[in-house]
mmCIF file of all heavy atoms in Angstrom:
data_model
loop_
_atom_site.group_PDB
_atom_site.id
_atom_site.type_symbol
_atom_site.label_atom_id
_atom_site.label_comp_id
_atom_site.label_asym_id
_atom_site.label_seq_id
_atom_site.Cartn_x
_atom_site.Cartn_y
_atom_site.Cartn_z
ATOM 1 N N LEU A 94 -30.433 -36.931 8.839
ATOM 2 C CA LEU A 94 -30.128 -37.470 7.519
ATOM 3 C C LEU A 94 -31.213 -38.475 7.055
ATOM 4 O O LEU A 94 -31.567 -38.551 5.903
ATOM 5 C CB LEU A 94 -28.765 -38.107 7.509
ATOM 6 C CG LEU A 94 -27.597 -37.202 7.620
ATOM 7 C CD1 LEU A 94 -26.299 -37.955 7.941
ATOM 8 C CD2 LEU A 94 -27.427 -36.352 6.365
ATOM 9 N N CYS A 95 -31.687 -39.238 8.064
ATOM 10 C CA CYS A 95 -32.719 -40.220 7.750
ATOM 11 C C CYS A 95 -33.984 -39.566 7.254
ATOM 12 O O CYS A 95 -34.602 -40.027 6.290
ATOM 13 C CB CYS A 95 -32.972 -41.048 9.034
ATOM 14 S SG CYS A 95 -33.894 -42.521 8.776
ATOM 15 N N ILE A 96 -34.372 -38.448 7.902
ATOM 16 C CA ILE A 96 -35.532 -37.728 7.444
ATOM 17 C C ILE A 96 -35.307 -37.196 6.023
ATOM 18 O O ILE A 96 -36.196 -37.281 5.147
ATOM 19 C CB ILE A 96 -35.859 -36.566 8.379
ATOM 20 C CG1 ILE A 96 -36.337 -37.132 9.749
ATOM 21 C CG2 ILE A 96 -36.948 -35.639 7.829
ATOM 22 C CD1 ILE A 96 -36.393 -36.129 10.856
ATOM 23 N N LEU A 97 -34.094 -36.649 5.778
ATOM 24 C CA LEU A 97 -33.786 -36.165 4.430
ATOM 25 C C LEU A 97 -33.863 -37.292 3.422
ATOM 26 O O LEU A 97 -34.406 -37.080 2.312
ATOM 27 C CB LEU A 97 -32.414 -35.506 4.398
ATOM 28 C CG LEU A 97 -32.286 -34.177 5.134
ATOM 29 C CD1 LEU A 97 -30.876 -33.674 5.020
ATOM 30 C CD2 LEU A 97 -33.223 -33.141 4.567
ATOM 31 N N ALA A 98 -33.325 -38.438 3.762
ATOM 32 C CA ALA A 98 -33.330 -39.558 2.807
ATOM 33 C C ALA A 98 -34.777 -39.989 2.533
ATOM 34 O O ALA A 98 -35.141 -40.281 1.383
ATOM 35 C CB ALA A 98 -32.527 -40.736 3.397
ATOM 36 N N THR A 99 -35.607 -39.978 3.591
ATOM 37 C CA THR A 99 -37.007 -40.393 3.400
ATOM 38 C C THR A 99 -37.747 -39.411 2.484
ATOM 39 O O THR A 99 -38.433 -39.818 1.542
ATOM 40 C CB THR A 99 -37.735 -40.420 4.748
ATOM 41 O OG1 THR A 99 -36.936 -41.113 5.685
ATOM 42 C CG2 THR A 99 -39.065 -41.123 4.654
ATOM 43 N N VAL A 100 -37.510 -38.127 2.729
ATOM 44 C CA VAL A 100 -38.187 -37.091 1.939
ATOM 45 C C VAL A 100 -37.721 -37.117 0.494
ATOM 46 O O VAL A 100 -38.571 -37.174 -0.423
ATOM 47 C CB VAL A 100 -37.983 -35.695 2.569
ATOM 48 C CG1 VAL A 100 -38.498 -34.617 1.638
ATOM 49 C CG2 VAL A 100 -38.642 -35.601 3.937
ATOM 50 N N THR A 101 -36.421 -37.162 0.276
ATOM 51 C CA THR A 101 -35.939 -37.149 -1.095
ATOM 52 C C THR A 101 -36.391 -38.469 -1.814
ATOM 53 O O THR A 101 -36.766 -38.400 -2.991
ATOM 54 C CB THR A 101 -34.394 -37.102 -1.178
ATOM 55 O OG1 THR A 101 -33.861 -38.108 -0.300
ATOM 56 C CG2 THR A 101 -33.884 -35.753 -0.773
ATOM 57 N N GLY A 102 -36.462 -39.541 -1.101
ATOM 58 C CA GLY A 102 -36.920 -40.806 -1.685
ATOM 59 C C GLY A 102 -38.362 -40.702 -2.068
ATOM 60 O O GLY A 102 -38.799 -41.187 -3.117
ATOM 61 N N ALA A 103 -39.170 -40.089 -1.181
ATOM 62 C CA ALA A 103 -40.623 -40.043 -1.373
ATOM 63 C C ALA A 103 -40.947 -39.163 -2.593
ATOM 64 O O ALA A 103 -41.811 -39.473 -3.412
ATOM 65 C CB ALA A 103 -41.326 -39.522 -0.137
ATOM 66 N N ILE A 104 -40.180 -38.015 -2.703
ATOM 67 C CA ILE A 104 -40.433 -37.141 -3.828
ATOM 68 C C ILE A 104 -40.118 -37.878 -5.159
ATOM 69 O O ILE A 104 -40.897 -37.812 -6.115
ATOM 70 C CB ILE A 104 -39.552 -35.859 -3.734
ATOM 71 C CG1 ILE A 104 -39.982 -35.045 -2.538
ATOM 72 C CG2 ILE A 104 -39.654 -35.037 -4.990
ATOM 73 C CD1 ILE A 104 -39.035 -33.956 -2.168
ATOM 74 N N TRP A 105 -39.025 -38.599 -5.135
ATOM 75 C CA TRP A 105 -38.627 -39.374 -6.338
ATOM 76 C C TRP A 105 -39.707 -40.459 -6.642
ATOM 77 O O TRP A 105 -40.080 -40.669 -7.761
ATOM 78 C CB TRP A 105 -37.268 -39.957 -6.090
ATOM 79 C CG TRP A 105 -36.800 -40.805 -7.193
ATOM 80 C CD1 TRP A 105 -36.145 -40.393 -8.336
ATOM 81 C CD2 TRP A 105 -36.877 -42.259 -7.288
ATOM 82 N NE1 TRP A 105 -35.850 -41.472 -9.146
ATOM 83 C CE2 TRP A 105 -36.302 -42.597 -8.507
ATOM 84 C CE3 TRP A 105 -37.409 -43.225 -6.467
ATOM 85 C CZ2 TRP A 105 -36.191 -43.933 -8.921
ATOM 86 C CZ3 TRP A 105 -37.305 -44.534 -6.864
ATOM 87 C CH2 TRP A 105 -36.737 -44.871 -8.103
#
Side-chain angles (χ1 to χ4, degrees):
Chain A
L94 290 167
C95 193
I96 292 167
L97 288 180
T99 314
V100 171
T101 51
I104 294 167
W105 178 83

